[in-house]
Amino acid sequence: MELRVIDKQENELSIEIAGEDHTFMNVLKGTLLETDGIDAATYDVNPEQSGGQTDPVLTIKTEDGVDALDALEEGADEVINKANEFQAAYDAAV
């Protein structure tokens, strides 16, 4: 997975996440929307309207005083936690 920051402001971040598709992006976006300090999270994969872009671009907006990169890190950590919890539940059920 490769990340490329497209735009970074104090309360807003746009980052391209190479090699991912809707499966991962929906999980990440959903988790970010549950993260304290994040006002909005969305992603776009639209090559026809984005000049040929095929990798998703994630955009997050945060509350005042919340750094967008820190909020993204917190959300990504939560995705890892959810995946680990799912793995543990699966292992227990099998």
mmCIF file with all atom_site columns, all heavy atoms in Angstrom, residues 65-81:
data_model
loop_
_atom_site.group_PDB
_atom_site.id
_atom_site.type_symbol
_atom_site.label_atom_id
_atom_site.label_alt_id
_atom_site.label_comp_id
_atom_site.label_asym_id
_atom_site.label_entity_id
_atom_site.label_seq_id
_atom_site.pdbx_PDB_ins_code
_atom_site.Cartn_x
_atom_site.Cartn_y
_atom_site.Cartn_z
_atom_site.occupancy
_atom_site.B_iso_or_equiv
_atom_site.pdbx_formal_charge
_atom_site.auth_seq_id
_atom_site.auth_comp_id
_atom_site.auth_asym_id
_atom_site.auth_atom_id
_atom_site.pdbx_PDB_model_num
ATOM 1   N N   . GLY A 1 65 ? -8.733  22.220 16.199 1.00 0.00 ? 65 GLY A N   1
ATOM 2   C CA  . GLY A 1 65 ? -7.791  21.736 17.194 1.00 0.00 ? 65 GLY A CA  1
ATOM 3   C C   . GLY A 1 65 ? -7.413  20.271 17.052 1.00 0.00 ? 65 GLY A C   1
ATOM 4   O O   . GLY A 1 65 ? -6.595  19.773 17.813 1.00 0.00 ? 65 GLY A O   1
ATOM 5   N N   . VAL A 1 66 ? -8.011  19.558 16.086 1.00 0.00 ? 66 VAL A N   1
ATOM 6   C CA  . VAL A 1 66 ? -7.698  18.152 15.866 1.00 0.00 ? 66 VAL A CA  1
ATOM 7   C C   . VAL A 1 66 ? -6.901  18.036 14.570 1.00 0.00 ? 66 VAL A C   1
ATOM 8   O O   . VAL A 1 66 ? -7.384  18.399 13.504 1.00 0.00 ? 66 VAL A O   1
ATOM 9   C CB  . VAL A 1 66 ? -8.984  17.291 15.773 1.00 0.00 ? 66 VAL A CB  1
ATOM 10  C CG1 . VAL A 1 66 ? -8.644  15.841 15.471 1.00 0.00 ? 66 VAL A CG1 1
ATOM 11  C CG2 . VAL A 1 66 ? -9.797  17.403 17.051 1.00 0.00 ? 66 VAL A CG2 1
ATOM 12  N N   . ASP A 1 67 ? -5.663  17.585 14.683 1.00 0.00 ? 67 ASP A N   1
ATOM 13  C CA  . ASP A 1 67 ? -4.809  17.435 13.511 1.00 0.00 ? 67 ASP A CA  1
ATOM 14  C C   . ASP A 1 67 ? -5.324  16.282 12.650 1.00 0.00 ? 67 ASP A C   1
ATOM 15  O O   . ASP A 1 67 ? -5.592  15.180 13.155 1.00 0.00 ? 67 ASP A O   1
ATOM 16  C CB  . ASP A 1 67 ? -3.369  17.173 13.936 1.00 0.00 ? 67 ASP A CB  1
ATOM 17  C CG  . ASP A 1 67 ? -2.443  17.051 12.746 1.00 0.00 ? 67 ASP A CG  1
ATOM 18  O OD1 . ASP A 1 67 ? -2.037  18.102 12.205 1.00 0.00 ? 67 ASP A OD1 1
ATOM 19  O OD2 . ASP A 1 67 ? -2.145  15.905 12.353 1.00 0.00 ? 67 ASP A OD2 1
ATOM 20  N N   . ALA A 1 68 ? -5.457  16.524 11.364 1.00 0.00 ? 68 ALA A N   1
ATOM 21  C CA  . ALA A 1 68 ? -6.028  15.532 10.460 1.00 0.00 ? 68 ALA A CA  1
ATOM 22  C C   . ALA A 1 68 ? -5.180  14.265 10.372 1.00 0.00 ? 68 ALA A C   1
ATOM 23  O O   . ALA A 1 68 ? -5.720  13.158 10.321 1.00 0.00 ? 68 ALA A O   1
ATOM 24  C CB  . ALA A 1 68 ? -6.222  16.143 9.069  1.00 0.00 ? 68 ALA A CB  1
ATOM 25  N N   . LEU A 1 69 ? -3.855  14.384 10.359 1.00 0.00 ? 69 LEU A N   1
ATOM 26  C CA  . LEU A 1 69 ? -3.000  13.194 10.319 1.00 0.00 ? 69 LEU A CA  1
ATOM 27  C C   . LEU A 1 69 ? -3.122  12.360 11.588 1.00 0.00 ? 69 LEU A C   1
ATOM 28  O O   . LEU A 1 69 ? -3.150  11.129 11.531 1.00 0.00 ? 69 LEU A O   1
ATOM 29  C CB  . LEU A 1 69 ? -1.539  13.584 10.092 1.00 0.00 ? 69 LEU A CB  1
ATOM 30  C CG  . LEU A 1 69 ? -1.133  13.836 8.639  1.00 0.00 ? 69 LEU A CG  1
ATOM 31  C CD1 . LEU A 1 69 ? 0.308   14.341 8.572  1.00 0.00 ? 69 LEU A CD1 1
ATOM 32  C CD2 . LEU A 1 69 ? -1.308  12.599 7.789  1.00 0.00 ? 69 LEU A CD2 1
ATOM 33  N N   . ASP A 1 70 ? -3.204  13.036 12.729 1.00 0.00 ? 70 ASP A N   1
ATOM 34  C CA  . ASP A 1 70 ? -3.385  12.310 13.995 1.00 0.00 ? 70 ASP A CA  1
ATOM 35  C C   . ASP A 1 70 ? -4.716  11.573 14.008 1.00 0.00 ? 70 ASP A C   1
ATOM 36  O O   . ASP A 1 70 ? -4.809  10.431 14.471 1.00 0.00 ? 70 ASP A O   1
ATOM 37  C CB  . ASP A 1 70 ? -3.299  13.267 15.182 1.00 0.00 ? 70 ASP A CB  1
ATOM 38  C CG  . ASP A 1 70 ? -1.898  13.824 15.398 1.00 0.00 ? 70 ASP A CG  1
ATOM 39  O OD1 . ASP A 1 70 ? -0.924  13.229 14.886 1.00 0.00 ? 70 ASP A OD1 1
ATOM 40  O OD2 . ASP A 1 70 ? -1.788  14.859 16.081 1.00 0.00 ? 70 ASP A OD2 1
ATOM 41  N N   . ALA A 1 71 ? -5.757  12.210 13.501 1.00 0.00 ? 71 ALA A N   1
ATOM 42  C CA  . ALA A 1 71 ? -7.076  11.583 13.457 1.00 0.00 ? 71 ALA A CA  1
ATOM 43  C C   . ALA A 1 71 ? -7.074  10.386 12.513 1.00 0.00 ? 71 ALA A C   1
ATOM 44  O O   . ALA A 1 71 ? -7.676  9.345  12.811 1.00 0.00 ? 71 ALA A O   1
ATOM 45  C CB  . ALA A 1 71 ? -8.125  12.604 13.025 1.00 0.00 ? 71 ALA A CB  1
ATOM 46  N N   . LEU A 1 72 ? -6.378  10.502 11.385 1.00 0.00 ? 72 LEU A N   1
ATOM 47  C CA  . LEU A 1 72 ? -6.268  9.379  10.454 1.00 0.00 ? 72 LEU A CA  1
ATOM 48  C C   . LEU A 1 72 ? -5.536  8.217  11.109 1.00 0.00 ? 72 LEU A C   1
ATOM 49  O O   . LEU A 1 72 ? -5.951  7.056  10.985 1.00 0.00 ? 72 LEU A O   1
ATOM 50  C CB  . LEU A 1 72 ? -5.543  9.810  9.179  1.00 0.00 ? 72 LEU A CB  1
ATOM 51  C CG  . LEU A 1 72 ? -5.278  8.707  8.155  1.00 0.00 ? 72 LEU A CG  1
ATOM 52  C CD1 . LEU A 1 72 ? -6.568  8.049  7.692  1.00 0.00 ? 72 LEU A CD1 1
ATOM 53  C CD2 . LEU A 1 72 ? -4.499  9.273  6.971  1.00 0.00 ? 72 LEU A CD2 1
ATOM 54  N N   . GLU A 1 73 ? -4.481  8.504  11.832 1.00 0.00 ? 73 GLU A N   1
ATOM 55  C CA  . GLU A 1 73 ? -3.742  7.448  12.527 1.00 0.00 ? 73 GLU A CA  1
ATOM 56  C C   . GLU A 1 73 ? -4.626  6.746  13.556 1.00 0.00 ? 73 GLU A C   1
ATOM 57  O O   . GLU A 1 73 ? -4.630  5.518  13.661 1.00 0.00 ? 73 GLU A O   1
ATOM 58  C CB  . GLU A 1 73 ? -2.506  8.024  13.214 1.00 0.00 ? 73 GLU A CB  1
ATOM 59  C CG  . GLU A 1 73 ? -1.678  6.973  13.931 1.00 0.00 ? 73 GLU A CG  1
ATOM 60  C CD  . GLU A 1 73 ? -0.424  7.531  14.578 1.00 0.00 ? 73 GLU A CD  1
ATOM 61  O OE1 . GLU A 1 73 ? -0.265  8.761  14.663 1.00 0.00 ? 73 GLU A OE1 1
ATOM 62  O OE2 . GLU A 1 73 ? 0.395   6.706  15.014 1.00 0.00 ? 73 GLU A OE2 1
ATOM 63  N N   . GLU A 1 74 ? -5.401  7.516  14.301 1.00 0.00 ? 74 GLU A N   1
ATOM 64  C CA  . GLU A 1 74 ? -6.305  6.932  15.291 1.00 0.00 ? 74 GLU A CA  1
ATOM 65  C C   . GLU A 1 74 ? -7.339  6.034  14.622 1.00 0.00 ? 74 GLU A C   1
ATOM 66  O O   . GLU A 1 74 ? -7.631  4.930  15.093 1.00 0.00 ? 74 GLU A O   1
ATOM 67  C CB  . GLU A 1 74 ? -7.000  8.037  16.087 1.00 0.00 ? 74 GLU A CB  1
ATOM 68  C CG  . GLU A 1 74 ? -7.881  7.529  17.198 1.00 0.00 ? 74 GLU A CG  1
ATOM 69  C CD  . GLU A 1 74 ? -8.552  8.649  17.986 1.00 0.00 ? 74 GLU A CD  1
ATOM 70  O OE1 . GLU A 1 74 ? -8.021  9.776  18.026 1.00 0.00 ? 74 GLU A OE1 1
ATOM 71  O OE2 . GLU A 1 74 ? -9.618  8.371  18.571 1.00 0.00 ? 74 GLU A OE2 1
ATOM 72  N N   . GLY A 1 75 ? -7.894  6.506  13.509 1.00 0.00 ? 75 GLY A N   1
ATOM 73  C CA  . GLY A 1 75 ? -8.871  5.698  12.778 1.00 0.00 ? 75 GLY A CA  1
ATOM 74  C C   . GLY A 1 75 ? -8.261  4.430  12.212 1.00 0.00 ? 75 GLY A C   1
ATOM 75  O O   . GLY A 1 75 ? -8.872  3.351  12.270 1.00 0.00 ? 75 GLY A O   1
ATOM 76  N N   . ALA A 1 76 ? -7.045  4.515  11.680 1.00 0.00 ? 76 ALA A N   1
ATOM 77  C CA  . ALA A 1 76 ? -6.364  3.337  11.136 1.00 0.00 ? 76 ALA A CA  1
ATOM 78  C C   . ALA A 1 76 ? -6.068  2.326  12.240 1.00 0.00 ? 76 ALA A C   1
ATOM 79  O O   . ALA A 1 76 ? -6.208  1.111  12.034 1.00 0.00 ? 76 ALA A O   1
ATOM 80  C CB  . ALA A 1 76 ? -5.081  3.753  10.433 1.00 0.00 ? 76 ALA A CB  1
ATOM 81  N N   . ASP A 1 77 ? -5.665  2.821  13.413 1.00 0.00 ? 77 ASP A N   1
ATOM 82  C CA  . ASP A 1 77 ? -5.447  1.922  14.550 1.00 0.00 ? 77 ASP A CA  1
ATOM 83  C C   . ASP A 1 77 ? -6.735  1.188  14.918 1.00 0.00 ? 77 ASP A C   1
ATOM 84  O O   . ASP A 1 77 ? -6.704  -0.001 15.274 1.00 0.00 ? 77 ASP A O   1
ATOM 85  C CB  . ASP A 1 77 ? -4.918  2.697  15.763 1.00 0.00 ? 77 ASP A CB  1
ATOM 86  C CG  . ASP A 1 77 ? -3.463  3.116  15.616 1.00 0.00 ? 77 ASP A CG  1
ATOM 87  O OD1 . ASP A 1 77 ? -2.750  2.555  14.757 1.00 0.00 ? 77 ASP A OD1 1
ATOM 88  O OD2 . ASP A 1 77 ? -3.039  4.020  16.364 1.00 0.00 ? 77 ASP A OD2 1
ATOM 89  N N   . GLU A 1 78 ? -7.850  1.875  14.837 1.00 0.00 ? 78 GLU A N   1
ATOM 90  C CA  . GLU A 1 78 ? -9.131  1.242  15.173 1.00 0.00 ? 78 GLU A CA  1
ATOM 91  C C   . GLU A 1 78 ? -9.507  0.172  14.142 1.00 0.00 ? 78 GLU A C   1
ATOM 92  O O   . GLU A 1 78 ? -10.094 -0.850 14.492 1.00 0.00 ? 78 GLU A O   1
ATOM 93  C CB  . GLU A 1 78 ? -10.239 2.287  15.300 1.00 0.00 ? 78 GLU A CB  1
ATOM 94  C CG  . GLU A 1 78 ? -11.569 1.732  15.753 1.00 0.00 ? 78 GLU A CG  1
ATOM 95  C CD  . GLU A 1 78 ? -11.522 1.001  17.097 1.00 0.00 ? 78 GLU A CD  1
ATOM 96  O OE1 . GLU A 1 78 ? -10.635 1.283  17.933 1.00 0.00 ? 78 GLU A OE1 1
ATOM 97  O OE2 . GLU A 1 78 ? -12.381 0.117  17.312 1.00 0.00 ? 78 GLU A OE2 1
ATOM 98  N N   . VAL A 1 79 ? -9.165  0.391  12.862 1.00 0.00 ? 79 VAL A N   1
ATOM 99  C CA  . VAL A 1 79 ? -9.399  -0.641 11.842 1.00 0.00 ? 79 VAL A CA  1
ATOM 100 C C   . VAL A 1 79 ? -8.618  -1.905 12.214 1.00 0.00 ? 79 VAL A C   1
ATOM 101 O O   . VAL A 1 79 ? -9.142  -3.019 12.134 1.00 0.00 ? 79 VAL A O   1
ATOM 102 C CB  . VAL A 1 79 ? -8.999  -0.139 10.434 1.00 0.00 ? 79 VAL A CB  1
ATOM 103 C CG1 . VAL A 1 79 ? -8.994  -1.285 9.430  1.00 0.00 ? 79 VAL A CG1 1
ATOM 104 C CG2 . VAL A 1 79 ? -9.936  0.961  9.972  1.00 0.00 ? 79 VAL A CG2 1
ATOM 105 N N   . ILE A 1 80 ? -7.377  -1.725 12.646 1.00 0.00 ? 80 ILE A N   1
ATOM 106 C CA  . ILE A 1 80 ? -6.551  -2.862 13.065 1.00 0.00 ? 80 ILE A CA  1
ATOM 107 C C   . ILE A 1 80 ? -7.188  -3.573 14.252 1.00 0.00 ? 80 ILE A C   1
ATOM 108 O O   . ILE A 1 80 ? -7.278  -4.815 14.282 1.00 0.00 ? 80 ILE A O   1
ATOM 109 C CB  . ILE A 1 80 ? -5.123  -2.399 13.400 1.00 0.00 ? 80 ILE A CB  1
ATOM 110 C CG1 . ILE A 1 80 ? -4.421  -1.911 12.131 1.00 0.00 ? 80 ILE A CG1 1
ATOM 111 C CG2 . ILE A 1 80 ? -4.322  -3.505 14.078 1.00 0.00 ? 80 ILE A CG2 1
ATOM 112 C CD1 . ILE A 1 80 ? -3.121  -1.163 12.384 1.00 0.00 ? 80 ILE A CD1 1
ATOM 113 N N   . ASN A 1 81 ? -7.662  -2.794 15.235 1.00 0.00 ? 81 ASN A N   1
ATOM 114 C CA  . ASN A 1 81 ? -8.316  -3.395 16.406 1.00 0.00 ? 81 ASN A CA  1
ATOM 115 C C   . ASN A 1 81 ? -9.542  -4.201 16.013 1.00 0.00 ? 81 ASN A C   1
ATOM 116 O O   . ASN A 1 81 ? -9.766  -5.312 16.519 1.00 0.00 ? 81 ASN A O   1
ATOM 117 C CB  . ASN A 1 81 ? -8.691  -2.323 17.425 1.00 0.00 ? 81 ASN A CB  1
ATOM 118 C CG  . ASN A 1 81 ? -7.500  -1.693 18.089 1.00 0.00 ? 81 ASN A CG  1
ATOM 119 O OD1 . ASN A 1 81 ? -6.426  -2.282 18.148 1.00 0.00 ? 81 ASN A OD1 1
ATOM 120 N ND2 . ASN A 1 81 ? -7.670  -0.477 18.586 1.00 0.00 ? 81 ASN A ND2 1
#
